[in-house]
Amino acid sequence: KKIQRLIDSAYPPYPVNHYQIRSVTASNTRVIQVEAAGDIETSVLMPEVPQTQEEADEIGARVRQNPPFIYGRLVSMDQKGALITAGFITDRLSGREAFMAVFDHVQQIKEDEETENIQIFVSGYPILVGWVLLHAFEITLFLVLTVVMIFLLLWAYFRRWHGVLIPAVAALATTIWGLGFTGWIGITFDPLILVIPTIITARAVSHTVQMAERFFEDYEILLPALGD
Protein backbone atom coordinates (compact mmCIF):
# COMPACT_ATOMS: atom_id res chain seq x y z
CA LYS A 1 0.00 0.00 0.00
CA LYS A 2 2.89 2.36 0.68
CA ILE A 3 4.24 1.80 -2.82
CA GLN A 4 0.74 2.32 -4.17
CA ARG A 5 0.48 5.67 -2.39
CA LEU A 6 3.87 6.73 -3.76
CA ILE A 7 2.79 5.84 -7.29
CA ASP A 8 -0.51 7.69 -6.88
CA SER A 9 1.32 10.77 -5.61
CA ALA A 10 3.53 10.82 -8.72
CA TYR A 11 0.93 9.78 -11.27
CA PRO A 12 -2.85 10.18 -11.60
CA PRO A 13 -4.98 7.31 -10.22
CA TYR A 14 -5.94 6.33 -13.78
CA PRO A 15 -2.58 5.79 -15.53
CA VAL A 16 -2.04 4.42 -19.00
CA ASN A 17 -0.59 0.94 -19.28
CA HIS A 18 2.62 1.83 -21.11
CA TYR A 19 3.10 -1.75 -22.29
CA GLN A 20 -0.10 -1.46 -24.33
CA ILE A 21 0.80 1.72 -26.22
CA ARG A 22 1.00 1.23 -29.99
CA SER A 23 2.20 3.99 -32.34
CA VAL A 24 4.98 4.68 -34.81
CA THR A 25 6.96 6.45 -32.06
CA ALA A 26 6.50 3.79 -29.36
CA SER A 27 9.59 1.87 -28.32
CA ASN A 28 7.78 -1.44 -28.77
CA THR A 29 7.09 -0.76 -32.46
CA ARG A 30 9.90 -2.61 -34.19
CA VAL A 31 10.74 -3.32 -37.80
CA ILE A 32 12.15 -6.53 -39.20
CA GLN A 33 15.03 -6.38 -41.63
CA VAL A 34 16.75 -9.19 -43.48
CA GLU A 35 20.44 -8.58 -44.01
CA ALA A 36 22.39 -9.63 -47.10
CA ALA A 37 23.88 -12.55 -45.18
CA GLY A 38 20.40 -13.83 -44.33
CA ASP A 39 20.38 -12.63 -40.74
CA ILE A 40 17.09 -11.26 -39.40
CA GLU A 41 17.37 -8.19 -37.24
CA THR A 42 14.76 -6.15 -35.41
CA SER A 43 15.10 -2.54 -34.43
CA VAL A 44 12.93 0.26 -33.11
CA LEU A 45 11.07 1.96 -35.95
CA MET A 46 11.67 5.49 -34.68
CA PRO A 47 14.37 5.67 -31.99
CA GLU A 48 14.33 9.47 -32.21
CA VAL A 49 11.95 12.02 -33.65
CA PRO A 50 13.22 13.03 -37.12
CA GLN A 51 14.53 16.57 -37.33
CA THR A 52 15.01 16.87 -41.08
CA GLN A 53 13.04 15.91 -44.16
CA GLU A 54 15.66 13.31 -45.08
CA GLU A 55 15.24 11.59 -41.71
CA ALA A 56 11.44 11.68 -42.11
CA ASP A 57 11.73 10.16 -45.59
CA GLU A 58 13.90 7.39 -44.17
CA ILE A 59 11.26 6.62 -41.53
CA GLY A 60 8.59 6.58 -44.27
CA ALA A 61 10.62 4.10 -46.29
CA ARG A 62 10.99 1.80 -43.27
CA VAL A 63 7.25 2.00 -42.65
CA ARG A 64 6.43 0.98 -46.22
CA GLN A 65 8.79 -1.98 -45.94
CA ASN A 66 6.85 -3.45 -43.01
CA PRO A 67 3.25 -4.27 -43.92
CA PRO A 68 0.75 -5.14 -42.59
CA PHE A 69 1.54 -4.56 -38.91
CA ILE A 70 2.92 -1.05 -39.43
CA TYR A 71 2.10 0.01 -42.99
CA GLY A 72 -1.64 -0.40 -43.37
CA ARG A 73 -2.35 -0.52 -39.64
CA LEU A 74 -0.38 2.06 -37.65
CA VAL A 75 0.05 4.13 -40.81
CA SER A 76 -2.67 4.39 -43.44
CA MET A 77 -2.02 3.22 -46.98
CA ASP A 78 -2.04 6.79 -48.28
CA GLN A 79 0.36 7.81 -45.46
CA LYS A 80 -1.94 10.64 -44.40
CA GLY A 81 -3.10 9.08 -41.13
CA ALA A 82 -1.51 7.40 -38.13
CA LEU A 83 -3.05 5.28 -35.39
CA ILE A 84 -2.23 5.62 -31.70
CA THR A 85 -3.72 3.15 -29.21
CA ALA A 86 -3.31 2.97 -25.46
CA GLY A 87 -4.66 0.68 -22.77
CA PHE A 88 -5.54 1.70 -19.23
CA ILE A 89 -5.04 -0.10 -15.95
CA THR A 90 -8.58 -1.36 -15.55
CA ASP A 91 -8.71 -1.57 -11.75
CA ARG A 92 -8.05 2.17 -11.58
CA LEU A 93 -10.38 3.11 -14.42
CA SER A 94 -13.70 2.83 -12.64
CA GLY A 95 -16.19 5.39 -11.46
CA ARG A 96 -17.39 8.67 -12.88
CA GLU A 97 -14.40 10.66 -11.68
CA ALA A 98 -11.82 8.43 -13.38
CA PHE A 99 -13.72 8.20 -16.67
CA MET A 100 -14.36 11.93 -16.83
CA ALA A 101 -10.73 12.70 -15.96
CA VAL A 102 -9.52 10.54 -18.85
CA PHE A 103 -12.17 11.97 -21.17
CA ASP A 104 -11.35 15.60 -20.31
CA HIS A 105 -7.60 15.00 -20.61
CA VAL A 106 -7.89 13.33 -24.02
CA GLN A 107 -10.25 16.02 -25.29
CA GLN A 108 -7.80 18.68 -24.13
CA ILE A 109 -5.00 16.97 -26.05
CA LYS A 110 -7.23 16.86 -29.13
CA GLU A 111 -8.03 20.55 -28.80
CA ASP A 112 -4.37 21.54 -28.28
CA GLU A 113 -2.93 19.48 -31.13
CA GLU A 114 -5.53 19.96 -33.87
CA THR A 115 -4.79 22.49 -36.58
CA GLU A 116 -6.17 23.33 -39.99
CA ASN A 117 -4.07 20.56 -41.53
CA ILE A 118 -4.26 18.02 -38.68
CA GLN A 119 -7.43 16.25 -37.60
CA ILE A 120 -7.62 13.99 -34.56
CA PHE A 121 -10.35 11.40 -34.12
CA VAL A 122 -10.74 9.79 -30.70
CA SER A 123 -12.58 6.58 -29.87
CA GLY A 124 -12.52 3.81 -27.29
CA TYR A 125 -14.50 2.70 -24.26
CA PRO A 126 -13.35 5.49 -21.86
CA ILE A 127 -14.27 8.10 -24.47
CA LEU A 128 -17.61 6.42 -25.09
CA VAL A 129 -18.44 6.35 -21.38
CA GLY A 130 -17.25 9.95 -21.07
CA TRP A 131 -19.73 11.12 -23.72
CA VAL A 132 -22.52 9.22 -21.97
CA LEU A 133 -21.68 10.78 -18.61
CA LEU A 134 -21.32 14.20 -20.20
CA HIS A 135 -24.82 13.99 -21.68
CA ALA A 136 -26.41 12.04 -18.82
CA PHE A 137 -28.74 14.94 -17.98
CA GLU A 138 -29.96 15.22 -21.57
CA ILE A 139 -30.50 11.45 -21.77
CA THR A 140 -32.54 11.49 -18.56
CA LEU A 141 -34.48 14.55 -19.73
CA PHE A 142 -35.40 12.95 -23.06
CA LEU A 143 -36.46 9.76 -21.27
CA VAL A 144 -38.74 11.68 -18.90
CA LEU A 145 -40.18 13.73 -21.76
CA THR A 146 -40.83 10.53 -23.72
CA VAL A 147 -42.78 9.02 -20.82
CA VAL A 148 -44.76 12.24 -20.32
CA MET A 149 -45.55 12.44 -24.03
CA ILE A 150 -46.78 8.84 -24.05
CA PHE A 151 -49.15 9.58 -21.18
CA LEU A 152 -50.42 12.75 -22.90
CA LEU A 153 -51.05 10.84 -26.12
CA LEU A 154 -52.89 8.12 -24.22
CA TRP A 155 -55.07 10.69 -22.51
CA ALA A 156 -55.75 12.48 -25.80
CA TYR A 157 -56.75 9.19 -27.40
CA PHE A 158 -58.86 7.54 -24.68
CA ARG A 159 -60.08 10.62 -22.77
CA ARG A 160 -60.37 8.49 -19.62
CA TRP A 161 -58.01 7.47 -16.84
CA HIS A 162 -58.46 3.78 -17.54
CA GLY A 163 -56.74 4.18 -20.90
CA VAL A 164 -53.80 5.88 -19.23
CA LEU A 165 -53.36 3.86 -16.04
CA ILE A 166 -53.72 0.38 -17.56
CA PRO A 167 -50.87 0.87 -20.12
CA ALA A 168 -48.84 2.59 -17.37
CA VAL A 169 -49.15 -0.49 -15.15
CA ALA A 170 -48.11 -2.71 -18.06
CA ALA A 171 -45.08 -0.50 -18.76
CA LEU A 172 -44.10 -0.45 -15.08
CA ALA A 173 -44.37 -4.24 -14.81
CA THR A 174 -42.28 -4.68 -17.96
CA THR A 175 -39.60 -2.35 -16.58
CA ILE A 176 -39.45 -4.11 -13.21
CA TRP A 177 -39.30 -7.58 -14.76
CA GLY A 178 -36.72 -6.55 -17.35
CA LEU A 179 -34.38 -4.77 -14.93
CA GLY A 180 -34.81 -7.51 -12.36
CA PHE A 181 -33.96 -10.21 -14.89
CA THR A 182 -30.84 -8.42 -16.12
CA GLY A 183 -29.67 -7.90 -12.56
CA TRP A 184 -30.45 -11.51 -11.62
CA ILE A 185 -28.32 -12.99 -14.41
CA GLY A 186 -25.57 -10.41 -13.90
CA ILE A 187 -25.90 -8.33 -17.07
CA THR A 188 -24.38 -4.86 -16.74
CA PHE A 189 -26.86 -2.28 -17.94
CA ASP A 190 -25.17 0.05 -20.41
CA PRO A 191 -26.80 3.49 -20.75
CA LEU A 192 -25.97 3.40 -24.46
CA ILE A 193 -28.54 0.64 -25.02
CA LEU A 194 -31.25 2.51 -23.14
CA VAL A 195 -33.21 2.75 -26.37
CA ILE A 196 -33.74 -1.04 -26.43
CA PRO A 197 -35.67 -1.37 -23.12
CA THR A 198 -37.51 1.82 -24.06
CA ILE A 199 -38.66 0.25 -27.32
CA ILE A 200 -39.67 -2.96 -25.54
CA THR A 201 -41.67 -0.97 -22.99
CA ALA A 202 -43.29 1.01 -25.79
CA ARG A 203 -44.34 -2.23 -27.47
CA ALA A 204 -45.85 -3.45 -24.19
CA VAL A 205 -47.79 -0.19 -23.95
CA SER A 206 -48.90 -0.54 -27.58
CA HIS A 207 -50.27 -4.05 -27.04
CA THR A 208 -52.00 -2.93 -23.85
CA VAL A 209 -53.58 -0.01 -25.70
CA GLN A 210 -54.92 -2.35 -28.38
CA MET A 211 -56.47 -4.68 -25.81
CA ALA A 212 -57.87 -1.78 -23.77
CA GLU A 213 -59.34 -0.20 -26.89
CA ARG A 214 -61.05 -3.44 -27.83
CA PHE A 215 -62.40 -3.79 -24.30
CA PHE A 216 -63.78 -0.25 -24.31
CA GLU A 217 -65.42 -0.83 -27.70
CA ASP A 218 -67.21 -3.95 -26.44
CA TYR A 219 -68.04 -2.19 -23.18
CA GLU A 220 -69.77 0.69 -24.97
CA ILE A 221 -71.69 -1.76 -27.18
CA LEU A 222 -72.78 -4.06 -24.36
CA LEU A 223 -73.45 -1.35 -21.74
CA PRO A 224 -76.92 -0.43 -23.11
CA ALA A 225 -77.88 -4.09 -23.30
CA LEU A 226 -76.78 -4.64 -19.71
CA GLY A 227 -78.78 -1.63 -18.68
CA ASP A 228 -81.91 -3.05 -20.29
Side-chain angles (χ1 to χ4, degrees):
K1 292 184 178 180
K2 183 177 181 180
I3 296 177
Q4 188 72 51
R5 287 195 296 269
L6 291 175
I7 294 175
D8 289 340
S9 64
Y11 302 97
Y14 32 83
V16 171
N17 188 338
H18 295 280
Y19 294 102
Q20 294 183 353
I21 296 177
R22 297 290 182 270
S23 69
V24 293
T25 60
S27 59
N28 55 6
T29 302
R30 309 180 72 85
V31 296
I32 301 175
Q33 294 179 328
V34 181
E35 303 296 333
D39 298 332
I40 299 177
E41 294 185 358
T42 62
S43 59
V44 178
L45 171 64
M46 191 184 298
E48 296 180 356
V49 178
Q51 302 297 326
T52 63
Q53 185 61 43
E54 290 75 12
E55 294 177 351
D57 293 339
E58 181 181 355
I59 295 296
R62 299 183 71 185
V63 167
R64 291 189 296 272
Q65 294 171 3
N66 287 268
F69 299 106
I70 298 178
Y71 185 49
R73 183 176 182 183
L74 294 181
V75 178
S76 62
M77 300 300 292
D78 59 3
Q79 301 185 65
K80 294 183 179 180
L83 175 67
I84 302 175
T85 63
F88 293 90
I89 300 177
T90 55
D91 60 346
R92 295 188 181 184
L93 190 61
S94 62
R96 178 186 178 90
E97 180 181 355
F99 277 108
M100 289 307 299
V102 171
F103 177 82
D104 293 338
H105 187 67
V106 172
Q107 293 299 322
Q108 187 63 48
I109 294 176
K110 172 180 168 66
E111 181 180 348
D112 294 340
E113 299 298 330
E114 274 193 328
T115 63
E116 294 182 359
N117 299 321
I118 299 176
Q119 286 184 306
I120 300 176
F121 301 93
V122 184
S123 64
Y125 185 72
I127 305 302
L128 191 63
V129 174
W131 281 116
V132 173
L133 295 176
L134 184 65
H135 296 282
F137 176 78
E138 290 89 339
I139 295 174
T140 304
L141 178 62
F142 291 149
L143 180 61
V144 172
L145 291 177
T146 300
V147 174
V148 172
M149 183 60 66
I150 291 175
F151 286 160
L152 292 177
L153 291 174
L154 290 175
W155 174 257
Y157 183 75
F158 285 108
R159 299 287 180 161
R160 63 181 74 188
W161 284 111
H162 295 81
V164 177
L165 296 179
I166 294 175
V169 171
L172 181 62
T174 303
T175 302
I176 294 175
W177 291 340
L179 295 178
F181 180 75
T182 55
W184 178 53
I185 63 178
I187 296 178
T188 301
F189 189 78
D190 193 338
L192 293 176
I193 62 172
L194 186 63
V195 63
I196 296 178
T198 303
I199 292 175
I200 295 175
T201 303
R203 293 303 301 166
V205 172
S206 175
H207 295 321
T208 307
V209 168
Q210 295 177 21
M211 291 184 288
E213 182 181 14
R214 182 59 179 170
F215 173 82
F216 290 140
E217 289 178 352
D218 292 341
Y219 178 78
E220 292 176 356
I221 294 174
L222 296 176
L223 182 61
L226 294 176
D228 295 339

